[in-house]
Amino acid sequence: MRRIVIVGASLAGLRAAQALRAEGFRGTLTLVGAEPHLPYDRPPLSKRQLTDAARPEDGDLPIPPDLDATWLLGTPAEALDPVARTVRLADGRELDYDGLVIATGAAARTHPAGHVPDGVHTLRGRDDATALRTELRAGRRITVVGGGFLGSEIAAAARGRGLDVTLVVSTAQPLARLVGEQVGAYVAELHRGAGIALVTHRTALGFTGNPALTQVVLSDGDTIDGELAVLALGAEPNTGWLAGSGLLVAGGVACDPCLRVLHENGASLPNVVAAGDVAMWPHPLADGASIALGHWSNAAEQAAAAARTLLRRDDARPFTAVPSFWSDLHGSTLRAVGLPALADEHRVARYDLLGRKLEVTYHRAGHLVGAVTVGRPGRLAAYRRILTEELLQAA
């Protein structure tokens, strides 16, 4: 290969570029990014970047001086022709490639309401975090809609800056769909202990105020007063630019076990791979079902694996890393490994809110598929080893 294009200039794109160079690729390397920024870390956006002490540049990812790459930033990809092997950019330029890495990530899911007034935010990129941070002033009222990790982290950060915070959750507990009721109950008590009001079994139906927000209207007709709201409703993979390309797109870019992108006819494309939030691939812990993961560790590890697959066509290996993620909430760090959301059984080994200790394991058909801990790093490492051994046996 002489020319490799990476569409997506965030963590996955950067790690893919580094891996390509480490694997010996000496050809032309071009990274295309929709944002005007060089790669930066996204996890701090809902944590440190919302605090008084943080600076946007603190999240910059280091770029090796010998990467020797061309950066085309602030110009998203608009179309792909895998037959002609070209990527068309929004400004009309076309890039030829011998190999392609799709790492376009995901965008914040927006609200279906027709009227979204000023003061309603989403958080996905650096500019979103900067805009939201300027609004987080002590004494203001903020409603966070969405009980996943992002919503919980934003609520915790806002409360830490002295705002009056309400967290609206569609389930009985925050995080319930992701890590179950037990961990959800633990996190709910952390929120309440910090002074956050929880509204459960409801979501946002719409908003009042023109031009500025005055109320969030809930699905049961109740309202929450306030001049600020954040929607943390999940993410949508950035796949719109692939329309008409013939690639199989279903909840993300469909890949084979080695991260080669699939055509609509089911065939793997040997010169196109995908990595990060946008990639859907079959995972052994999910019994071979295709999944997409929006975790930092997955983006970094998967990008390196995709780069190896692109260069080593005859020696490609399935990507089977153990997923892991973390969340900082009210001074506690929740850490997880595996795929807890797939479990049909949860086992609580430790639940100590006062001592900030938690240990829950997740099982599917009797087999360990995940674990979540707070203040138990040694136990989490043990569960990671077990999951790693299971993946090696499955391979």
Side-chain angles (χ1 to χ4, degrees):
M1 291 189 180
R2 295 181 293 111
R3 301 163 299 183
I4 293 180
V5 172
I6 301 173
V7 183
S10 192
L11 173 66
L14 175 60
R15 290 292 184 264
Q18 291 176 277
L20 288 167
R21 291 305 191 203
E23 290 288 330
F25 176 67
R26 295 293 176 261
T28 301
L29 188 56
T30 304
L31 290 95
V32 177
E35 293 186 75
H37 311 292
L38 286 166
Y40 59 88
D41 257 340
R42 292 187 186 275
L45 297 180
S46 56
K47 305 177 181 73
R48 294 192 303 273
Q49 292 298 323
L50 297 184
T51 69
D52 287 321
R55 302 172 302 169
E57 58 268 27
D58 293 339
D60 289 348
L61 292 168
I63 299 173
D66 58 349
L67 189 63
D68 189 22
T70 298
W71 297 85
L72 303 179
L73 303 176
T75 306
E78 190 173 71
L80 169 66
D81 185 340
V83 177
R85 296 188 180 182
T86 59
V87 174
R88 188 175 76 242
L89 306 186
D91 62 6
R93 282 180 291 177
E94 285 197 348
L95 305 177
D96 298 322
Y97 67 83
D98 301 310
L100 175 67
V101 181
I102 297 175
T104 43
R109 184 174 289 127
T110 57
H111 198 277
H115 173 61
V116 178
D118 297 340
V120 179
H121 294 253
T122 57
L123 177 58
R124 186 69 191 180
R126 172 174 284 180
D127 294 341
D128 298 331
T130 299
L132 177 58
R133 176 178 168 172
T134 62
E135 300 279 4
L136 297 182
R137 299 189 292 274
R140 301 190 80 188
R141 295 169 296 181
I142 182 172
T143 301
V144 181
V145 182
F149 284 104
L150 180 64
S152 285
E153 289 172 356
I154 294 170
R159 185 59 189 150
R161 294 193 62 176
L163 280 78
D164 181 356
V165 181
T166 300
L167 178 61
V168 178
V169 183
S170 62
T171 53
Q173 307 285 2
L175 311 180
R177 290 195 182 97
L178 302 172
V179 290
E181 295 286 345
Q182 298 93 336
V183 176
Y186 187 95
V187 171
E189 289 307 311
L190 289 180
H191 285 322
R192 292 190 179 101
I196 294 173
L198 280 178
V199 175
T200 61
H201 295 294
R202 281 168 282 181
T203 188
L205 182 65
F207 313 93
T208 63
N210 188 14
L213 175 71
T214 56
Q215 289 181 324
V216 176
V217 182
L218 301 180
S219 50
D220 64 352
D222 284 351
T223 59
I224 302 173
D225 294 336
E227 57 276 359
L228 186 61
V230 181
L231 305 179
L233 304 176
E236 298 282 356
N238 288 319
T239 57
W241 68 287
L242 297 173
S245 67
L247 270 57
L248 181 59
V249 177
V253 177
C255 303
D256 69 10
C258 299
L259 304 174
R260 291 172 293 224
V261 170
L262 299 179
H263 191 272
E264 290 174 341
N265 63 15
S268 299
L269 301 180
N271 63 327
V272 184
V273 295
D277 298 6
V278 76
M280 294 277 295
W281 90 108
H283 199 287
L285 288 179
D287 297 329
S290 289
I291 61 172
L293 295 174
H295 307 325
W296 189 97
S297 62
N298 179 72
E301 295 169 353
Q302 198 173 56
R308 287 193 296 270
T309 291
L310 192 59
L311 295 181
R312 302 180 183 181
R313 297 186 184 186
D314 298 328
D315 187 31
R317 291 169 288 175
F319 177 66
T320 57
V322 175
S324 64
F325 58 95
W326 75 96
S327 182
D328 296 324
L329 299 169
H330 309 293
S332 293
T333 300
L334 185 150
R335 302 183 187 277
V337 293
L339 299 171
L342 299 181
D344 55 30
E345 179 188 2
H346 305 166
R347 302 174 189 173
V348 180
R350 185 78 180 270
Y351 191 107
D352 179 3
L353 186 65
L354 185 62
R356 297 296 175 97
K357 303 288 185 183
L358 179 69
E359 182 180 339
V360 180
T361 58
Y362 300 81
H363 306 262
R364 181 182 174 122
H367 295 282
L368 182 74
V369 293
V372 172
T373 65
V374 173
R376 309 274 281 172
R379 296 297 298 155
L380 191 73
Y383 292 128
R384 179 190 288 275
R385 287 193 294 270
I386 294 171
L387 291 169
T388 300
E389 290 172 2
E390 288 191 6
L391 289 179
L392 289 174
Q393 292 172 3

